Amino acid sequence: MRRVVSVYLPHWSTDRLRRKTGNAPPDRAAADARPALVTAIPDHGRRVIAAVDARARALGIAAGMTVTKARAFADTIEVVDADPAADLDGLRRLALWTGQRYSPIVAPDPPDGLWLDITGCASLFDSERALVKDLHRRIAAFGVAVQIAVADTAGCAHAVARYVPAGRPVTIEPGEHRKAIALLPAAALRLEPGVVDALRKLGFDRIEQLIGAPRAPLAKRFGRALYRRLDQALGLVREPIEPIFPDQLPRAHRGFVEPLLTADAFAHVIADLTRDLAGQLTREGQGARRLDCHFHRVDGQVQAIRVGTATPSREPAHLAKLLRAKIETVDPGLGVEAMTLVAPLVDLLDPVQREGLADAARQRPDLATLIDALANRFGQRQLYRTVGRASAMPERSIGAVPALATTGGQAWNSDLPRPSRMLAAPEAIDVTAMLPDHPPAMFIWRRKRYRVAQADGPERLHGEWWREQGIEADRPFTVRDYFQVETTSGGRYWIFRLGDGENPATGSMRWFLHGAFA
């Protein structure tokens, strides 16, 4: 099912100017103290407000108001000449940035928004909510006001982003778009202001009233645009998003006389496209780290598949194989009339990679090919290797890095007993034990009772005082006493007590299970 994100930037023009001039306030108090900022355009000998920031809007200043009238709302107001071309260019650059990270299908939605088709992209962030949350956080970190909504249709996402105020992204669950827009005003359908005013005079204030009204009279009076927008929001009419690409992006394109419908035909074209793209990369001495293949359907829709590589690659056969593995996710509809292959992320090839026929390169195991195949099937985040970290706390002594990362970790200390399997977070257990330093005689974990046959310990670890997270927040005097215990059923576990068993200042004396030995 299609999922579309609408990104609404309510103060894009003024936020862009503040970011450009470096006048972002350091804190909330400074933001409230700065003068209101507006942009203006000339109009028949007078200056008219084109855009306002949040402070100006709070004062009652709105677009379309003359500058002279706006000055009556505030003692000081900063007026800057509007630059629509710069606003559109900034919006385009922001769209290209989101395309690098979140989706292969992105486009600006002038004058104050973006479109992202995230169909099939949620797995890159574990969930759809995680994707839009990350998008919201990063844009807000730029100092730009943002509202985000995701829904089955572009029209629904656009309406909710602009007419459902929320401090966090709004997710409309699949199949709920009709209910989500029913109570929104008719203006949420992206209608002309004159049409909205005329509908209001006729008593049509909300979208649900338009849904239930006979179509013929309203269509005759207002034309096709009214119900085209309504049907787009309801998902009855498809609304294509035409993706944009950087001007210098390596790209290969094929158009077809007759639409293609079969996976075999797509695979044949992909082979041609990867060869064309490999030629461009060879001339630049680069390799692809990410590929997006766009399928342009005859109904105007664009579908895309995305693959990535662990190391830069320009081997046509390898790249084509990765893309072919995802052909089954493409819905050709009535046919695909063109295909475009782009490399949004490239990197320089090292000398060994350039000398693809070198003996050393031939003799090395081709791990990159295997890792690419696994990562594109199960997700980049599911494939990693572990390295040692410099930390006294066991849960922080292991880190995850990309499978082929050259970053080295700390050396493992094989002298210390550590379980073969460690829990992601220690789990609290109920223990019967004598204080201060006796091992447990019995413990209860996950509602099951375990009797201890033998134990070894304690091994005392001191908390890292500079940490502000973790069990007991790693207070300066927090200590852990670890024990290896073997139960009467044969299981071997690694458990610890918070505190030294005597001084309450060293910990709460609670017990936790941290891992199990093979």
Side-chain angles (χ1 to χ4, degrees), residues 35-361:
L37 174 64
V38 302
T39 64
I41 56 175
D43 179 46
H44 297 88
R46 58 180 186 171
R47 301 184 75 193
V48 176
I49 301 295
V52 299
D53 68 355
R55 180 167 175 77
R57 178 172 292 182
L59 293 173
I61 303 173
M65 185 182 297
T66 63
V67 173
T68 303
K69 184 177 180 180
R71 293 190 185 280
F73 287 82
D75 296 334
T76 58
I77 181 173
E78 184 178 356
V79 182
V80 180
D81 290 336
D83 191 348
D87 290 342
L88 181 59
D89 181 67
L91 205 60
R92 176 182 170 83
R93 286 187 282 109
L94 183 61
L96 293 173
W97 172 82
T98 60
Q100 288 279 349
R101 183 172 180 84
Y102 300 100
S103 169
I105 302 179
V106 298
D109 179 22
D112 53 13
L114 303 174
W115 294 116
L116 290 86
D117 188 330
I118 61 169
T119 306
C121 299
S123 60
L124 300 175
F125 291 81
D126 297 330
S127 69
E128 181 180 273
R129 291 182 183 274
L131 186 153
V132 295
K133 183 178 179 180
D134 185 79
L135 175 62
H136 186 279
R137 177 180 61 83
R138 289 178 181 273
I139 294 180
F142 293 152
V144 177
V146 58
Q147 295 174 205
I148 295 178
V150 55
D152 292 344
T153 67
C156 176
H158 186 280
V160 172
R162 286 156 177 78
Y163 290 89
V164 180
R168 63 182 187 280
V170 179
T171 299
I172 306 302
E173 298 299 330
E176 297 293 323
H177 52 280
R178 185 186 185 97
K179 184 187 300 184
I181 65 173
L183 298 179
L184 297 182
L189 292 177
R190 294 172 288 169
L191 303 173
E192 295 293 333
V195 174
V196 175
D197 294 338
L199 287 172
R200 187 178 296 111
K201 291 178 182 179
L202 295 175
F204 294 97
D205 295 318
R206 299 186 304 277
I207 294 177
E208 64 176 354
Q209 295 171 313
L210 291 173
I211 296 175
R215 291 198 168 202
L218 292 177
K220 183 177 181 180
R221 176 166 182 174
F222 297 105
R224 297 180 180 180
L226 171 61
Y227 282 103
R228 177 171 58 85
R229 288 301 193 189
L230 178 61
D231 289 342
Q232 286 175 342
L234 296 175
L236 302 177
V237 174
R238 300 281 290 184
E239 184 174 0
I241 298 175
E242 188 64 31
I244 62 171
F245 310 108
D247 296 334
Q248 303 301 322
L249 198 68
R251 184 188 324 175
H253 180 80
R254 285 288 189 280
F256 315 124
V257 177
E258 294 291 337
L260 304 184
L261 288 165
T262 65
D264 290 341
F266 295 152
H268 181 76
V269 176
I270 285 174
D272 292 339
L273 293 174
T274 52
R275 282 194 293 268
D276 292 350
L277 193 68
Q280 299 178 36
L281 295 172
T282 300
R283 289 191 293 271
E284 298 295 332
Q286 297 175 330
R289 291 296 308 277
R290 183 181 298 158
L291 291 177
D292 295 334
C293 188
H294 298 262
F295 299 77
H296 305 266
R297 301 188 341 183
V298 295
D299 60 359
Q301 294 297 311
V302 179
Q303 295 201 353
I305 54 178
R306 168 171 283 184
V307 298
T309 60
T311 59
S313 174
R314 59 177 181 231
E315 292 294 331
H318 174 53
L319 299 177
K321 182 179 179 180
L322 297 178
L323 291 166
R324 286 199 302 268
K326 292 197 172 185
I327 288 179
E328 61 184 16
T329 64
V330 177
D331 177 12
L334 298 176
V336 173
E337 62 182 0
M339 291 171 58
T340 303
L341 180 64
V342 297
L345 184 61
V346 297
D347 204 351
L348 294 176
L349 288 174
D350 60 42
V352 174
Q353 288 176 302
R354 292 198 197 101
E355 298 294 336
L357 300 179
D359 293 337

